[in-house]
Amino acid sequence: AQRAADDAHRTARALRAERAEIAGAPDDLGDDTEPPSASLPALREAYRTASQVYEKVGVGADLRAEQARAESDESAALATLDRLTNKVRTRAAQLLEGTDGADGPSRQAAAARAESLVQMLESRASAASEQLGRLRGEAERLAPADGDAHTALPEEMVPADAEQAKELLRTANGELAARTDELDTARTAHADLLRAHRSAEDAAGGFDETAALLRDLLRDGPGAEDDGERPDPYAGGLAEARQAATEARRSLRGCAADLSGAESAVREASDVLVRHANSTRYEQVRTPARQQIRELPAAALPEHAAAWADAFAPRLRVLTDELEQLERNRDSIVDRLRGLVESCLATLRSAQRLSRLPEGLGEWSGQEFLRIRFDDPDQATLTERLGEVIDEATRSAVKKNSDLRRDGMSLLLRGVQAALQPRGVAVEILKPDAVLRAERVPVGQMGDVFSGGQLLTAAIALYCTMAALRSNDRGRDKHRHAGTLFLDNPIGRANATYLLELQRAVADALGVQLLYTTGLFDTTALAEFPLVIRLRNDADLRAGLKYISVEEHLRPGLPVQDPEGEQVHGQITATRMYKRPEGDGAAQPTGPDAP
């Protein structure tokens, strides 16, 4: 019973709380309240449905916010209305009773017109205020310092009002402008009269000077002191005399100008002659004429010019002939050097062409081992540059303590260098590697990029190229044998198989026989050679001599027969060839020899 009572109390508290959440439910129910006939779940469902319907038809939050704003605006408008005076309220009521206050749009239009009118009146007021201030400032600026007026006006000039004052002011300004123009015209005329007066005074002064000069000339002229004789008067008239005097003066001025120009030319020629004689180029010339030119004053040089010209004429012819001969010799040397330089450039092109590798070398097949690039100069530029090389060598020959070499090879090298200017020559070489990639490296970077074996292989290839080039220059380009190269222990640095194969392939393509010498017995490296000859040092102790004898021949390229195995027939182990002597009949070949 206690537990049932507790459950009933909990249920009652939960129902009371649920009833408190229901809007409009009474807090206290009397005893005479009749219980509802429906069940509690049905009532709850009905309440939930009613709540949903109420929320749908209820006032939204935006309408409540708008109502709040309207109430706030109404409160602010009432506060503003309370602050207005009764006169303003009365005038506003009269305006609202009129046609402009009948409705909202009319009131807005009337308010806009009033606002524009207010702005126009304010702008007019500000403009009037500004003009009033400007007029006051101008009045203060134009006000007289002492007294009430600047000057006293006659009675007929005193204005009665502002309009008459403006009219009098315009009349005064017009008269002032007219008087100003008359003053400017008078000043211009006065300045012209002053210039004419000064010109007249200058002319009078010049005439006085001319007259004084003429008087001096007449007084100091030839025959003026001889028995007091006077010159004969001019036979013609005054106009003819003036014309003759004018022509005489013009001729005199021309002659004076020619004389001045001739004297200036003589002075310039004398200065040039002195500078020429004092030049450092002629320090070793010890002729008396040079010494005289250096020591005599400039004014005395023209007197000796004719004698020096006659004395120098034969020497000039001799020196001209010698210079022409030197020029011909120089041209001959330049032509010869140009031929040698062109031959050297052709040799460089041949070196690139002859360095072409054979097939079977991967990417290197058909590639040129050397790539030499340079720009071919034209004939005029090449001749000019080689002439500068010859001139430089000639100048160094007369200089003291000059270390410039003038032998044939040095001149040729300098000529080739000058011909390839300004870009010079670019030489690239293929880099040997295991996969034989076609990678080219400038020769100046070989020491930094190549390993020891690659550097040795490149050096052998370069030697083979040079040997083939030498054979080609000697007219034996079709000859397969271009020479023999002895190598001192190259396997110690280049024992890689691909390097040895590359060396032998390049040598075979260029017709060079390679002979390797080594003290190492590297079977992997030695297996690449068709013939290996092992040598031995022998010493004769009694005679004190040393001998080198052949110990063994190794031929990896030929099969070696096992002596204990089964004999193989039909296999050639050795041959012998008989060469027919000259004049004999047919050759007598022999059969194969036993091993």
Side-chain angles (χ1 to χ4, degrees):
Q2 184 65 35
R3 287 193 295 272
D6 293 339
D7 293 339
H9 284 298
R10 284 195 297 271
T11 303
R13 285 195 297 271
L15 292 176
R16 289 192 186 97
E18 185 176 358
R19 185 186 63 181
E21 294 178 355
I22 297 174
D27 295 337
D28 190 11
L29 297 176
D31 296 337
D32 55 352
T33 303
E34 296 180 359
S37 59
S39 63
L40 182 60
L43 293 175
R44 287 176 176 172
E45 181 64 23
Y47 176 72
R48 186 179 63 80
T49 304
S51 298
Q52 291 178 356
V53 172
Y54 178 77
E55 288 178 357
K56 289 181 180 179
V57 300
V59 179
D62 52 348
L63 296 179
R64 292 193 183 94
E66 186 176 356
Q67 179 183 3
R69 286 195 299 270
E71 292 175 355
S72 177
D73 295 340
E74 181 182 4
S75 300
L78 290 175
T80 304
L81 181 62
D82 293 338
R83 287 196 296 271
L84 298 177
T85 60
N86 293 329
K87 183 178 180 180
V88 174
R89 293 181 182 180
T90 303
R91 179 60 179 164
Q94 294 176 358
L95 293 176
L96 288 175
E97 291 177 356
T99 58
D100 292 337
D103 52 2
S106 300
R107 288 193 293 274
Q108 292 180 359
R113 289 195 300 272
E115 185 69 22
S116 62
L117 182 60
V118 169
Q119 292 179 359
M120 180 182 67
L121 293 176
E122 289 179 353
S123 62
R124 288 182 179 180
S126 61
S129 177
E130 182 181 356
Q131 184 177 5
L132 177 60
R134 184 169 61 254
L135 292 176
R136 285 179 179 176
E138 187 175 357
E140 293 177 357
R141 180 174 58 83
L142 298 177
D146 299 330
D148 296 336
H150 291 281
T151 183
L153 297 175
E155 295 181 358
E156 63 274 8
M157 299 296 293
V158 176
D161 52 6
E163 295 296 333
Q164 186 179 3
K166 292 181 179 180
E167 182 66 26
L168 293 176
L169 181 60
R170 284 194 294 270
T171 304
N173 288 332
E175 294 179 356
L176 177 60
R179 298 296 185 274
T180 302
D181 295 338
E182 294 176 359
L183 178 60
D184 293 339
T185 304
R187 285 177 178 175
T188 304
H190 182 262
D192 295 339
L193 292 175
L194 289 178
R195 284 195 296 272
H197 183 263
R198 284 194 295 269
S199 300
E201 289 180 349
D202 295 340
F207 184 77
D208 292 340
E209 293 178 359
T210 304
L213 179 61
L214 291 176
R215 285 193 296 270
D216 293 339
L217 291 176
L218 291 175
R219 185 167 51 252
D220 300 336
E225 298 178 358
D226 297 344
D227 300 333
E229 295 181 0
R230 300 183 63 183
D232 297 334
Y234 186 72
L238 179 60
E240 296 177 357
R242 288 179 177 177
Q243 183 67 25
T246 302
E247 293 178 358
R249 285 194 296 271
R250 185 182 299 111
S251 177
L252 179 61
R253 286 194 297 270
C255 294
D258 295 340
L259 177 60
S260 177
E263 290 177 352
S264 177
V266 169
R267 286 194 300 271
E268 292 179 0
S270 300
D271 295 339
V272 172
L273 179 61
V274 173
R275 288 196 301 270
H276 192 70
N278 292 330
S279 178
T280 56
R281 298 172 55 188
Y282 308 110
E283 288 293 337
Q284 299 180 0
V285 179
R286 304 298 181 184
T287 59
R290 178 174 180 270
Q291 197 69 20
Q292 293 175 4
I293 293 172
R294 298 178 61 184
E295 294 178 355
L296 287 176
L301 292 178
E303 299 177 0
H304 303 80
W308 290 337
D310 295 339
F312 288 157
R315 183 58 178 165
L316 178 61
R317 289 193 296 271
V318 174
L319 292 177
T320 303
D321 296 339
E322 291 180 357
L323 289 177
E324 291 178 355
Q325 183 178 2
L326 290 175
E327 189 67 24
R328 288 194 298 271
N329 294 335
R330 177 182 178 276
D331 294 341
S332 177
I333 295 174
V334 170
D335 291 340
R336 176 59 178 165
L337 182 59
R338 184 182 62 187
L340 294 176
V341 169
E342 292 176 351
S343 177
C344 292
L345 298 181
T347 301
L348 291 177
R349 299 188 192 93
S350 299
Q352 176 177 345
R353 177 176 54 83
L354 293 175
S355 64
R356 187 177 300 275
L357 299 174
E359 299 295 333
L361 295 179
E363 293 185 12
W364 281 30
S365 300
Q367 294 281 344
E368 294 174 344
F369 186 74
L370 283 177
R371 179 178 292 175
I372 305 174
R373 294 179 295 177
F374 55 88
D375 296 334
D376 293 330
D378 53 58
Q379 295 296 326
T381 305
L382 180 59
T383 303
E384 182 181 358
R385 293 176 181 175
L386 295 181
E388 294 176 358
V389 172
I390 297 300
D391 294 340
E392 183 181 1
T394 305
R395 286 192 297 268
S396 65
V398 298
K399 289 183 180 179
K400 295 181 180 180
N401 301 326
S402 177
D403 55 351
L404 185 65
R405 300 183 60 182
R406 296 183 300 278
D407 57 286
M409 182 57 66
S410 300
L411 287 176
L412 181 58
L413 292 177
R414 286 199 295 271
V416 173
Q417 183 180 4
L420 298 180
Q421 291 298 330
R423 296 181 58 182
V425 59
V427 182
E428 294 179 346
I429 189 172
L430 288 174
K431 179 183 178 183
D433 54 8
V435 296
L436 295 181
R437 292 176 299 179
E439 179 183 359
R440 296 186 180 273
V441 178
V443 292
Q445 302 178 6
M446 290 174 57
D448 301 330
V449 179
F450 288 11
S451 63
Q454 292 175 346
L455 193 62
L456 178 61
T457 303
I460 294 174
L462 285 176
Y463 173 82
C464 295
T465 302
M466 295 300 105
L469 180 62
R470 180 184 60 186
S471 178
N472 180 74
D473 293 341
R474 293 178 178 178
R476 295 185 297 178
D477 54 337
K478 303 300 182 180
H479 196 277
R480 288 291 301 168
H481 185 62
T484 303
L485 176 61
F486 286 87
L487 301 174
D488 183 12
N489 194 19
I491 301 179
R493 298 179 60 185
N495 58 350
T497 304
Y498 74 94
L499 293 177
L500 296 176
E501 292 178 353
L502 181 59
Q503 295 171 11
R504 296 182 58 242
V506 172
D508 182 67
L510 299 178
V512 178
Q513 182 181 6
L514 299 179
L515 295 180
Y516 293 77
T517 62
T518 180
L520 302 177
F521 194 74
D522 189 348
T523 56
T524 303
L526 295 179
E528 298 296 327
F529 299 96
L531 176 61
V532 179
I533 302 177
R534 298 185 63 186
L535 304 178
R536 182 181 68 250
N537 290 326
D538 294 333
D540 190 350
L541 300 179
R542 291 177 298 178
L545 300 177
K546 292 184 178 181
Y547 301 94
I548 297 178
S549 58
V550 177
E551 181 179 5
E552 185 181 4
H553 288 77
L554 302 178
R555 292 181 175 86
L558 296 177
V560 180
Q561 183 178 2
D562 187 5
E564 298 179 356
E566 183 180 359
Q567 185 177 3
V568 179
H569 300 281
Q571 180 178 1
I572 300 176
T573 57
T575 60
R576 182 176 64 184
M577 183 185 69
Y578 175 76
K579 185 176 181 181
R580 181 182 62 186
E582 296 181 0
D584 294 349
Q588 301 294 332
T590 61
D593 296 338

